[in-house]
Amino acid sequence: MAKILKKEQWSDTIFSMLVEAKDVAKAAKPGQFIILIPKEHGERVPLTIADSSVNEGWVQIVFQVVGKSTLELSRMNEGEELFSFVGPLGMPSEVEKFQGKVVMIGGGIGIAPIHPIAKKLKEMGNHVVSIIGAKTADLLIMEDKIREASTEVIVATDDGSKGKKGFVNAVLEELLATEADNVSKIWAIGPPIMMKVCAISAGKFNKPIIVSLNPIMVDGTGMCGACRVTVGGQTKFACVDGPEFDGALVDFDELMARQRQYKELEQKALELYKSKEGVA
Amino acid sequence: MAERIKASEKFKRDRVPMKEQDPKERINNFNEVPYGYSFEEAIKEAQRCLQCKPAACVEGCPADVHVPEFIDKILDEDIEGAFKEIKLTNALPAICGRVCPQEEQCEGACVMNKKGKPIAIGRLERFVADLARDKGILDEPPAESSKASKRIAIVGSGPAGLACAADLAKLGYDVTIFEALHKPGGVLVYGIPEFRLPKAIVQYEVDQIKKMGVKIYTDYVIGYIKTVDELIESYDAVFLANGAGAPSFLRIPGENLNGVYSASEFLTRSNLMRAFDFPNYDTPLDVGKRVVVIGGGNVAMDAVRTAKRLGAEEAIIVYRRSRTEMPARAEEIEHAEAEGIQFELLTNPIKILGDENGKVKGLECVRMELGEPDESGRRRPVPIEGSNFVMDVDNVIVAIGQNANPIVARSATGVETNKWGYFVADEETGKTTHPKVWAGGDIVTGAATVILAVGAGKKAAKSIHETLSQK
C-alpha cells in the first residue's frame, strides 16, 4: 500500500502527488513509469515518474484529470493509501554525456516526465536546453524544477500569455535553424500530436529525437500487448520495449486511434461516477 | 461409514455425472459451470475405486496425490482425513480438482479407463477440498523448525510458485514470494475465467499458504525493483516461476486495429480487472456482436466463452486444423459447443480489415486442408487456393500462444536461457545453471498446464531442500 504524502493542485485539472514508495524510489531511473490503482474497483493507470527521493522514500506523479480514474485519484487526500502502486516499469532513458547540446521538450503534462531525464543529463555534464510549453500560462507546470534541471529554458504558450507565442515545435525549429550543428539529441514528451509535430520538425534537420509513448496499458509488464505500437513498421510493446522510442519511426496516427479505443465506455464511467459522487 | 461394494459391481457401474448449470442460463452469467458432487454422489463415485496397489493414478499425477488413500477416507466419511491426505502432497486441491486435465493424468492412468469409465478423481478431489473449505477444516500447521533461518525467494505467485512455497514452508523454511500484479495467483487469477475457477477459491487456497508463514509481496516486479542477482545475494535459494507471459500475435495486416486483443489482454481485463462487471469496476472491455477467437487451445476456449457471456451474439472459434488436432481439453470444447460457440475449422486468418476509424470490421480467411504430418506429428494444414472469404466481425481475439517474457531473465546474469528466452532447468530438479537458482513452470516449458507447473514447483522444493540440507 502506498500512502499519499503530499497532494497539490496546480490547475483546474492538473495535480501532483508525492507517494510513499521507498523501494520504487530507490530503483527508479529517468524515463521509467509506475502503474497505480486508486481504489479497489479501479483500473490500472500508468503514469511517468516526475521525480523521486531515495532519502525521503517517495515518488512524484503528476496527472491531469481526464476520466473517472484520474478524477477519483484527484479526490483522494493526503494520508490515504492507493490500492496498488507498482514500479518502476519500462526501459530507462538512454542518457550519456553528449558532445553538443541536448534539447528537452515538454508539452503540457509532458513537462513532468522530462524533468528527471533533464536532471540526470545535467548531472552528467550536458548542456541542457529545455523548451516547455502549455496552452496558457496557468497550465505551465514545474517551471522552477525545470530551470534547476536545465542550462537554458525557453517557455512557449499557445496564447502568448507567457514566453513565446506558439507551439513548442516552432521554438524547436527556430533553435535548430541557428544551431542545428550544435544539437546532438532531442527528447520530446507530451500529447501524441505534439510529439508527432516535434518529430517532423527534428526530421527537417536530420536530428535524432526520442519520444515517450503513453498508449493504453493493462499489466505494464509485457503480458497483455494492449500497448502495442508500430515503430519502424514493427509492432513493439510500449511497456517493456519502451516507453521511449525513436520519434522518426513511430506511427503516431495509429497511437492516437488506439488511445480512443474506449472513449465511449470511459465517458459512461465518468458520468456515472460524477452523478454518484455529486461532482460537476 | 459407506458400504464397500464388490469388484464385480464396481465394473458394472458408470461414472457419476457432475451436475452443471444449464447452458442457456450460464451464457448470461459468470458463475461456475459445474456444481460439484453432493455427498451422496461423491460416495457413489468413490465406491467404484479399485484401490489398486501400486496405484497407476498416483504415477499419473504430477503432484503425487495419494489418490486411493483419500478416496478410501471419503468412503469412511472422514472428510478431514481425506483432505489431509490430499494436502500432504498438494497445496491447491480445489484448484487442481477443477482445472487439471485429469484425462491425461490420474484418470488417464486409471485401470478403469480401459473400460472408458475412469474414476472421477478430479471431481472427488474438488469435492473434498470444497467441503473442507465449507466446514473450516484446516491443514496441520507446519512444524516449528530450525531451518527457519534459511530464506527462499520465489518469483511469481502462480501455481508453480505457490506449490513450491507450500512445500518449503511445510519443511520450515522462511519463504517470500514476489508477485508483479496486485493480486497473488498468477494465471489462476488473470487467465482462467471465473466460470471455470472462482477467484474466491483461489484466494482461499492462497490464504492457506500465507497461514503457513509464506510472505507474498504483490506489486513487486523482479527485474525492475530488484534484480534476480540481488535476490541471489540476500537469499539462500531463488525459485524462478514467473510464467511465460508475452502474447504471440499472428503478424498479419490489421492486427493493431481497435477491437483486436490478445487472449491475455482480453482475459486479464475480464478476470483480474473484473471488466465483466463494468462499470462497477473501472476497466472497460469492448465486445461487439460478432467475436472471433483465433486458436484451438484451452485459452481460446476460455476467451470465446467469456466473449459469449459478455454479450457477443455470435462467438466463433477460427482454427486452422481440424477438431481432432485441437489442443484444448475435450471437456472445454464440449462446454463451448453446449454454449452455442461456433467453430470454423480448417480456416486460417490472413488479414484483419478495419473501418475509417481504425476499428475492426472484418476478417479475411482462407480454407485449409490437411496435408502430410509435420514435426509435431499432426497433419500440416495447407491453404486451398482461391478459397478466401471475409467474415464480418467486431472483435478479433488472438489466442495462439505465448513467448518468454524477458523482464526477469535479463536481470539474472548467471542463469542460462535457451534460444526462445526460457530458462534452462533440469526436468527432475528444476536446477538452473546457477547453483542458487531453480526454475519451473511455463518460464521453463513454455505455456503448459496448471498441474505441470504445480509438479515443477514441488520438484524444485524437494531439490532446494536436498541442496540446502547438505550444507
Side-chain angles (χ1 to χ4, degrees):
Chain A
M1 293 291 227
K3 191 191 280 183
I4 300 166
L5 298 175
K6 195 171 175 197
K7 172 183 157 184
E8 287 174 354
Q9 182 164 8
W10 289 351
S11 80
D12 283 357
T13 56
I14 301 173
F15 292 80
S16 157
M17 282 179 179
L18 302 189
V19 178
E20 186 177 42
K22 285 192 181 73
D23 290 354
V24 183
K26 218 156 114 187
K29 294 188 183 75
Q32 290 186 303
F33 65 96
I34 59 93
I35 287 184
L36 61 82
I37 303 176
K39 293 188 177 180
E40 198 182 346
H41 290 200
E43 62 183 330
R44 294 171 69 92
V45 183
L47 292 167
T48 310
I49 296 168
D51 200 0
S52 56
S53 165
V54 179
N55 292 337
E56 294 170 27
W58 51 253
V59 170
Q60 183 184 21
I61 50 165
V62 175
F63 61 94
Q64 187 156 20
V65 174
V66 287
K68 192 243 158 167
S69 296
T70 41
L71 178 58
E72 186 169 45
L73 179 62
S74 75
R75 298 178 74 230
M76 291 181 74
N77 295 313
E78 288 177 6
E80 277 189 84
E81 291 196 341
L82 299 169
F83 176 67
S84 161
F85 190 87
V86 59
L89 300 169
M91 299 295 278
S93 307
E94 288 176 18
V95 287
E96 58 182 274
K97 169 74 183 81
F98 293 98
Q99 283 306 317
K101 293 181 179 178
V102 186
V103 180
M104 305 299 298
I105 311 169
I109 196 85
I111 297 171
I114 67 157
H115 171 258
I117 312 169
K119 188 165 135 185
K120 183 73 188 173
L121 285 166
K122 196 181 172 195
E123 272 170 27
M124 293 171 97
N126 285 290
H127 183 109
V128 178
V129 183
S130 291
I131 303 172
I132 53 173
K135 273 192 187 135
T136 180
D138 290 348
L139 298 175
L140 191 78
I141 60 168
M142 293 181 81
E143 188 185 340
D144 292 350
K145 277 198 158 187
I146 293 292
R147 287 197 184 277
E148 263 173 55
S150 317
T151 321
E152 303 170 47
V153 177
I154 308 168
V155 173
T157 49
D158 297 1
D159 63 358
S161 54
K162 186 161 192 183
K164 299 191 179 206
K165 184 173 192 286
F167 293 117
V168 284
N169 69 312
V171 179
L172 173 66
E173 285 195 34
E174 205 176 298
L175 180 82
L176 292 176
T178 56
E179 42 180 337
D181 293 346
N182 202 18
V183 169
S184 34
K185 189 117 180 168
I186 304 164
W187 264 266
I189 308 180
I193 187 67
M194 167 255 169
M195 294 191 281
K196 180 183 174 175
V197 295
C198 285
I200 293 168
S201 299
K204 286 184 191 164
F205 297 86
N206 275 321
K207 288 290 155 188
I209 181 164
I210 300 292
V211 294
S212 178
L213 306 186
N214 53 344
I216 293 170
M217 291 186 184
V218 185
D219 65 281
T221 61
M223 267 174 43
C224 82
C227 65
R228 56 199 190 277
V229 289
T230 301
V231 182
Q234 285 188 320
T235 294
K236 299 277 179 189
F237 291 179
C239 68
V240 284
D241 300 323
E244 294 190 358
F245 293 99
D246 179 345
L249 301 178
V250 170
D251 183 343
F252 287 102
D253 295 337
E254 181 187 89
L255 172 70
M256 287 184 263
R258 287 185 65 76
Q259 283 184 331
R260 288 192 294 268
Q261 178 150 0
Y262 299 103
K263 226 175 163 190
E264 282 171 34
L265 290 170
E266 282 163 358
Q267 197 56 38
K268 189 175 149 192
L270 178 63
E271 277 158 22
L272 194 79
Y273 177 77
K274 280 182 172 174
S275 71
K276 225 158 75 182
E277 296 285 318
V279 270
Chain B
M1 284 267 283
E3 183 198 352
R4 263 66 172 180
I5 60 174
K6 276 192 247 152
S8 57
E9 180 68 16
K10 290 179 182 183
F11 286 106
K12 267 187 230 157
R13 284 209 201 159
D14 286 328
R15 262 162 86 97
V16 177
M18 182 161 55
K19 296 194 180 75
E20 55 185 45
Q21 255 201 92
D22 186 280
K24 286 194 207 77
E25 291 288 320
R26 72 191 193 224
I27 57 168
N28 298 314
N29 67 53
F30 275 80
N31 299 338
E32 198 178 5
V33 169
Y35 290 125
Y37 278 156
S38 66
F39 199 88
E40 292 69 32
E41 288 165 334
I43 295 285
K44 215 172 153 200
E45 182 64 18
Q47 282 173 325
R48 296 173 57 234
C49 176
L50 296 171
Q51 292 289 320
C52 307
K53 283 189 181 72
C57 50
V58 182
E59 289 291 303
C61 174
D64 302 317
V65 170
H66 299 173
V67 176
E69 289 84 354
F70 96 74
I71 290 181
D72 200 49
K73 291 209 162 72
I74 296 176
L75 289 177
D76 288 344
E77 299 182 12
D78 173 13
I79 298 307
E80 184 168 353
F83 180 66
K84 286 183 176 166
E85 194 69 52
I86 296 171
K87 283 284 242 179
L88 282 177
T89 67
N90 186 4
L92 308 169
I95 293 167
C96 290
R98 286 171 164 81
V99 302
C100 277
Q102 288 100 4
E103 65 279 7
E104 291 168 20
Q105 292 160 347
C106 53
E107 295 180 21
C110 176
V111 173
M112 287 287 215
N113 192 32
K114 289 185 187 123
K115 297 241 170 215
K117 303 192 284 193
I119 307 302
I121 300 166
R123 294 172 185 175
L124 291 174
E125 182 184 34
R126 169 197 164 129
F127 163 76
V128 170
D130 287 357
L131 195 57
R133 189 175 63 251
D134 290 348
K135 287 181 176 284
I137 295 169
L138 298 176
D139 198 15
E140 311 280 348
E144 288 293 322
S145 166
S146 57
K147 295 190 194 72
S149 58
K150 294 260 170 78
R151 301 170 70 226
I152 319 289
I154 295 178
V155 181
S157 68
L162 291 174
C164 184
D167 280 10
L168 289 170
K170 257 187 204 164
L171 292 163
Y173 289 95
D174 178 359
V175 183
T176 306
I177 301 182
F178 299 97
E179 167 55 48
L181 291 169
H182 56 280
K183 274 186 203 163
V187 71
L188 306 170
V189 296
Y190 73 75
I192 303 178
E194 184 76 19
F195 56 83
R196 270 212 305 134
L197 180 63
K199 300 309 147 216
I201 286 170
V202 178
Q203 186 64 53
Y204 181 83
E205 295 205 325
V206 170
D207 285 345
Q208 300 315 303
I209 291 171
K210 280 192 195 165
K211 278 189 191 148
M212 297 167 76
V214 172
K215 294 180 279 288
I216 303 182
Y217 291 141
T218 51
D219 280 338
Y220 215 92
V221 188
I222 298 302
Y224 287 126
I225 195 160
K226 269 195 171 61
T227 62
V228 173
D229 294 349
E230 285 171 307
L231 294 181
I232 291 169
E233 273 173 40
S234 36
Y235 290 83
D236 295 291
V238 178
F239 179 51
L240 305 175
N242 48 300
S248 302
F249 283 91
L250 293 153
R251 297 171 187 275
I252 61 173
E255 226 163 9
N256 292 350
L257 290 165
N258 286 346
V260 182
Y261 292 101
S262 74
S264 306
E265 180 187 355
F266 188 76
L267 290 170
T268 299
R269 283 179 179 272
S270 182
N271 301 334
L272 174 72
M273 304 309 296
R274 320 293 280 181
F276 68 83
D277 197 9
F278 181 87
N280 290 325
Y281 284 80
D282 292 341
T283 302
L285 196 46
D286 144 49
V287 177
K289 288 193 170 71
R290 288 191 99 205
V291 179
V292 159
V293 176
I294 296 163
N298 289 322
V299 173
M301 298 307 139
D302 284 345
V304 79
R305 296 172 68 197
T306 297
K308 186 84 188 176
R309 283 162 173 76
L310 286 169
E313 285 165 19
E314 290 180 82
I316 307 158
I317 287 279
V318 166
Y319 180 57
R320 65 201 182 111
R321 300 179 199 246
S322 75
R323 197 185 150 153
T324 13
E325 287 87 18
M326 280 175 91
R329 291 181 67 193
E331 185 186 313
E332 302 307 323
I333 300 172
E334 284 156 18
H335 273 141
E337 283 172 333
E339 288 165 13
I341 304 302
Q342 300 164 45
F343 290 78
E344 289 285 354
L345 303 173
L346 289 165
T347 302
N348 203 32
I350 52 176
K351 189 179 182 184
I352 304 171
L353 311 167
D355 65 15
E356 63 285 357
N357 298 318
K359 170 89 176 70
V360 174
K361 65 167 188 184
L363 180 67
E364 185 177 339
C365 295
V366 62
R367 297 288 185 196
M368 311 291 277
E369 59 190 350
L370 292 179
E372 295 301 308
D374 62 14
E375 62 277 9
S376 75
R378 298 182 297 181
R379 291 177 64 192
R380 185 195 299 275
V382 279
I384 301 171
E385 217 175 297
S387 65
N388 294 33
F389 68 103
V390 173
M391 300 165 74
D392 291 337
V393 298
D394 300 305
N395 295 97
V396 175
I397 300 168
V398 182
I400 58 162
Q402 293 181 328
N403 305 306
N405 188 316
I407 297 173
V408 174
R410 68 189 175 206
S411 84
T413 48
V415 189
E416 200 181 305
T417 52
N418 65 20
K419 64 176 171 177
W420 299 284
Y422 296 107
F423 289 119
V424 176
D426 183 86
E427 213 178 302
E428 282 313 305
T429 61
K431 280 185 175 167
T432 68
T433 50
H434 190 290
K436 283 177 79 177
V437 181
W438 283 254
D442 284 3
I443 196 57
V444 172
T445 56
T449 60
V450 168
I451 189 66
L452 286 177
V454 167
K458 293 180 64 65
K459 284 174 183 170
K462 184 166 171 255
S463 173
I464 289 169
H465 178 54
E466 279 165 9
T467 304
L468 296 185
S469 306
Q470 281 161 15
K471 283 181 183 167

